[in-house]
Amino acid sequence: MKFRLSYRKKILLYFSVVIALFTAGIILFEQKQIRHERTKSLENILNDNADFIHRYMEGQNIVFPDSTLMSYLPDNLRLTIIDKTGTVVYDNFLDKKMMANHIDRPEIQKAIVLGNGSNIRMSDSNHIRYLYYAKSYDGGYFIRVALPYEMEVRAFLNSKNSFIYFIILFFIVCAVMMFYFADKFSKSIKELKEFAVNLKNERPTKTAFEFPDDEIGEISAEIVENYNLLKENRKKLALEREKLIQHFQFSEEGIAIFSEERKKIYANSHFLQFLNVIADKPVLEDEYLFSDPDFEEIVAFLDSTGRTGNVFSTRIEKSGKKFNVRVIIFEDKNFEIYISDITKAEKRRLLKQEMTNNIAHELRTPVTSIRGYLETILSLDPKDIGRQQAFINRAYVQTIRLSELIQDISMLTKIEEAADRFVKEPVYIKALLDELESDLTKIFHEKNIIFNVDVADSVVIYGNRTLLYSIFRNLVENSIAYAGESIEIMLQCYMETDDAVYFEFHDNGAGVEEKHLVKIFERFYRVNEGRTRDTGGSGLGLSIVKNAVLFHKGNIVAKNRPGGGLLFLITFPKTSPC
């Protein structure tokens, strides 16, 4: 495990080293100064000794120092007399014969030039470190005196230890103060460290922190507060991001977000599905679209540098489907590509457009007729009551046709666009058909039509009673209108299972040509336009039947009977036994 110091210990260590170095520097500087001053002082003493020896020797008229002279000098003072050639003529410690020529000694060289000179070095003769001092005199010789340097200086320094004690005391006081301030300073760091460690290990953090009342404490408190705000904003951002992703996932459109380098950031499942429908080969990567020819307009828009907007859309038709493709470029140069399958929407749009045109066409006939009849009535002689009444009757017939047409259109629109308004309930089919027979009894008698019903009283369908009544009535009215008079209409429940009820409806009329069977459920489709105009049908009856059956999750097919007439097979799912 790697050894690590705490922040507090680091502060103590670093500042202790700095103060120790500073203290040592002061001591060394002071020692150097003292050593320099002591050396000067010793040089002055040695100079006085040399002058004293010179005066004594001149006064006594002697060439070499005698015992009396030496008694006046310090015991550790070394005295050497050297002639102008550098030859040692006297030394009180060593035999002059054993000593080398001293002309090249530094202190002698200085004395030759300056008259006196000093040097600190190890003696080649007795290996003692001396402070040498040499002085030139008129008698043609040099007097060199020396004292052991280390001994003299050490004695002087020992007498100045009070300064060292003061420095040590200063260091101790600084260390104590540093310990106090480091402890106070590191308290905020310690709190922040605990806070960071808890965050890293996903442990609960404290709700309140005790920071010192100083700048570091204020900064620490601001950091914690800013983190709490960031944490709250992160939660909100994560929630919004989750909402957005769920929206993308459950969206029926293909949505993908790409980086500026065209790398996928996110894509829902529909995006790859639509991409595979558009592409000419199986696609596993969403980035394939940038190389697909069908998306060349999108790629060109992304590559363009002079575009005026950041949104572009186009349409792609492939494999019998139509797609709307839109790209949105964001400020950070990332972009979103949106693919929407508009096949059904386009079909609905075309159907609505066709229906609108058909409605306008169908309404035009009765409205034009009513207008013509009314204009004719207005132009007649007021006394011509007979002709007025005839045109009024004709106008009334057209208003009935117009009313039925509007009612059928309303019913069809409600089934397609407001199916939730139809309430479902158990409906007994036999009772419903008895009501239908009662409502149409007069027409049956007028056209000599036999209406047979073979449905058990227990047959029940879970559905909307109004729509179920409309299914069977429109089928009957279709037979009345197109099968002719003196026909027989049959409606029976020919089979039922645990899951469904099966009905057969047929008449024994002329039937229709095979080419019309696949279209008879279309809006306003007529097998014989002229005949339909005569019968007054709206062309929406069988379309209402088809949509009402689909509303009940059922199925209906039409075909000609082998014996003549038109036959419808209807299947309804049931939720309870018949």
Side-chain angles (χ1 to χ4, degrees):
M1 181 177 180
K2 186 178 180 181
F3 177 73
R4 295 183 62 184
L5 292 175
S6 65
Y7 189 77
R8 176 170 168 269
K9 290 181 179 179
K10 284 182 179 180
I11 293 177
L12 290 174
L13 177 61
Y14 296 157
F15 280 92
S16 296
V17 171
V18 171
I19 294 176
L21 292 174
F22 177 72
T23 304
I26 293 177
I27 293 175
L28 292 174
F29 177 77
E30 184 64 22
Q31 289 289 317
K32 183 178 179 181
Q33 289 295 107
I34 292 173
R35 192 179 296 273
H36 177 71
E37 292 175 1
R38 180 56 175 163
T39 301
K40 284 294 184 183
S41 177
L42 290 175
E43 287 179 355
N44 291 333
I45 293 173
L46 292 174
N47 181 71
D48 292 341
N49 287 333
D51 288 343
F52 172 74
I53 293 169
H54 173 67
R55 288 193 300 270
Y56 181 86
M57 291 174 63
E58 278 188 341
Q60 297 296 324
N61 195 21
I62 58 177
V63 179
F64 301 108
D66 56 14
S67 58
T68 303
L69 175 61
M70 297 306 298
S71 63
Y72 293 120
L73 300 176
D75 293 339
N76 60 346
L77 181 70
R78 182 178 175 182
L79 172 60
T80 307
I81 297 175
I82 306 166
D83 63 16
K84 291 298 182 180
T85 64
T87 303
V88 178
V89 296
Y90 176 81
D91 191 275
N92 64 335
F93 278 16
L94 300 173
D95 185 359
K96 63 180 181 178
K97 295 179 180 180
M98 299 177 62
M99 299 175 68
N101 190 286
H102 279 42
I103 195 65
D104 59 346
R105 296 296 190 266
E107 64 275 9
I108 300 299
Q109 291 292 319
K110 291 179 181 179
I112 294 173
V113 177
L114 302 174
N116 61 75
S118 64
N119 184 250
I120 300 171
R121 71 174 188 278
M122 188 74 68
S123 172
D124 295 335
S125 303
N126 58 8
H127 303 293
I128 295 175
R129 188 177 179 83
Y130 285 102
L131 169 60
Y132 292 100
Y133 184 84
K135 192 170 184 179
S136 176
Y137 291 96
D138 295 336
Y141 60 90
F142 299 96
I143 295 177
R144 190 185 71 172
V145 289
L147 285 172
Y149 182 74
E150 296 295 340
M151 185 183 301
E152 295 297 329
V153 174
R154 190 177 297 114
F156 181 81
L157 291 176
N158 289 338
S159 65
K160 302 294 182 179
N161 282 339
S162 59
F163 176 76
I164 297 177
Y165 297 148
F166 173 77
I167 292 298
I168 293 174
L169 179 62
F170 169 76
F171 176 78
I172 293 173
V173 171
C174 288
V176 172
M177 293 179 64
M178 183 176 56
F179 180 85
Y180 170 75
F181 287 112
D183 185 67
K184 185 177 181 181
F185 181 76
S186 64
K187 185 175 181 180
S188 297
I189 305 300
K190 184 179 179 181
E191 290 278 3
L192 286 178
K193 180 182 178 182
E194 181 183 353
F195 178 70
V197 170
N198 289 337
L199 289 179
K200 180 180 179 181
N201 297 326
E202 298 183 352
R203 293 198 297 262
T205 58
K206 294 192 299 185
T207 56
F209 292 86
E210 296 180 2
F211 294 111
D213 188 15
D214 54 19
E215 290 82 357
I216 299 298
E218 291 178 2
I219 293 173
S220 302
E222 288 291 333
I223 290 174
V224 174
E225 183 179 357
N226 288 336
Y227 171 78
N228 290 332
L229 290 174
L230 179 62
K231 183 179 179 181
E232 187 66 25
N233 291 333
R234 271 181 164 178
K235 287 182 179 179
K236 293 180 180 179
L237 185 61
L239 182 61
E240 294 301 322
R241 182 178 182 273
E242 185 64 25
K243 290 179 181 178
L244 185 61
I245 290 178
Q246 288 185 6
H247 168 72
F248 286 167
Q249 289 176 344
F250 291 102
S251 175
E252 294 183 357
E253 292 78 21
I255 302 173
I257 300 175
F258 296 90
S259 67
E260 184 180 1
E261 295 75 23
R262 301 182 183 179
K263 299 296 183 182
K264 182 184 75 173
I265 298 175
Y266 172 82
N268 64 0
S269 58
H270 284 85
F271 188 84
L272 192 60
Q273 292 176 5
F274 292 157
L275 194 57
N276 273 278
V277 174
I278 297 172
D280 295 325
K281 63 179 182 179
V283 177
L284 299 178
E285 299 294 334
D286 300 282
E287 290 85 352
Y288 170 79
L289 71 91
F290 299 113
S291 59
D292 190 287
D294 293 304
F295 291 89
E296 60 183 9
E297 290 185 85
I298 297 294
V299 175
F301 176 75
L302 293 172
D303 291 338
S304 63
T305 56
R307 54 177 175 264
T308 57
N310 61 342
V311 179
F312 175 78
S313 62
T314 185
R315 287 192 177 187
I316 298 176
E317 294 187 21
K318 208 68 177 291
S319 303
K321 289 184 173 292
K322 296 181 179 180
F323 297 93
N324 184 46
V325 183
R326 183 176 68 239
V327 59
I328 302 174
I329 301 177
F330 305 117
E331 291 186 5
D332 59 356
K333 305 303 181 182
N334 292 349
F335 57 91
E336 174 190 273
I337 295 181
Y338 170 97
I339 303 177
S340 176
D341 185 355
I342 59 172
T343 306
K344 292 182 179 179
E346 280 293 295
K347 287 182 178 179
R348 285 195 298 269
R349 184 185 67 82
L350 293 175
L351 286 174
K352 286 183 178 181
Q353 181 179 353
E354 181 183 358
M355 185 174 180
T356 301
N357 294 334
N358 289 335
I359 290 173
H361 177 72
E362 293 296 330
L363 290 175
R364 188 180 298 113
T365 300
V367 170
T368 301
S369 298
I370 293 172
R371 179 179 176 180
Y373 294 145
L374 292 176
E375 289 176 349
T376 302
I377 293 172
L378 291 174
S379 64
L380 291 175
D381 186 349
K383 297 179 180 180
D384 194 351
I385 304 299
R387 293 185 65 189
Q388 289 182 1
Q389 187 64 41
F391 285 112
I392 290 174
N393 290 336
R394 293 178 184 179
Y396 175 72
V397 172
Q398 293 299 323
T399 58
I400 293 176
R401 180 183 175 188
L402 182 61
S403 176
E404 291 177 350
L405 177 61
I406 294 173
Q407 184 177 353
D408 288 345
I409 292 172
S410 176
M411 172 70 75
L412 192 59
T413 302
K414 188 176 180 181
I415 294 173
E416 291 182 343
E417 299 183 2
D420 55 331
R421 296 184 182 180
F422 292 100
V423 179
K424 289 184 177 182
E425 60 183 342
V427 179
Y428 286 88
I429 301 302
K430 183 61 168 64
L432 183 142
L433 295 176
D434 290 343
E435 180 184 344
L436 173 62
E437 184 176 8
S438 176
D439 293 341
L440 298 177
T441 298
K442 183 179 178 181
I443 297 178
F444 291 156
H445 285 303
E446 290 177 355
K447 295 194 174 186
N448 193 26
I449 295 174
I450 299 174
F451 182 57
N452 295 319
V453 175
D454 183 11
V455 178
D457 294 338
S458 59
V459 174
V460 177
I461 296 176
Y462 185 75
N464 180 265
R465 195 177 193 283
T466 300
L467 291 181
L468 290 171
Y469 179 87
S470 178
I471 291 171
F472 295 114
R473 176 153 186 161
N474 275 288
L475 289 174
V476 172
E477 288 181 345
N478 186 72
S479 293
I480 293 173
Y482 303 113
E485 298 182 1
S486 301
I487 62 170
E488 182 178 350
I489 298 174
M490 181 66 184
L491 177 59
Q492 64 174 333
C493 176
Y494 67 92
M495 186 175 67
E496 62 178 303
T497 65
D498 294 336
D499 300 321
V501 181
Y502 300 87
F503 292 93
E504 177 183 330
F505 177 92
H506 68 264
D507 59 50
N508 57 355
V512 298
E513 296 181 27
E514 291 293 328
K515 66 179 180 180
H516 298 299
L517 286 177
V518 295
K519 297 182 179 181
I520 61 175
F521 293 110
E522 295 179 5
R523 299 176 182 87
F524 301 107
Y525 182 79
R526 293 181 174 87
V527 174
N528 188 323
E529 185 73 19
R531 183 181 175 187
T532 303
R533 297 296 183 198
D534 296 335
T535 58
S538 66
L540 295 176
L542 292 183
S543 181
I544 292 174
V545 171
K546 177 76 171 181
N547 281 273
V549 171
L550 293 178
F551 169 84
H552 290 88
K553 310 300 181 185
N555 183 47
I556 182 170
V557 294
K559 61 181 182 178
N560 286 311
R561 293 177 67 223
L566 192 60
L567 180 144
F568 295 91
L569 296 176
I570 311 170
T571 304
F572 289 108
K574 65 177 183 179
T575 56
S576 59
C578 293

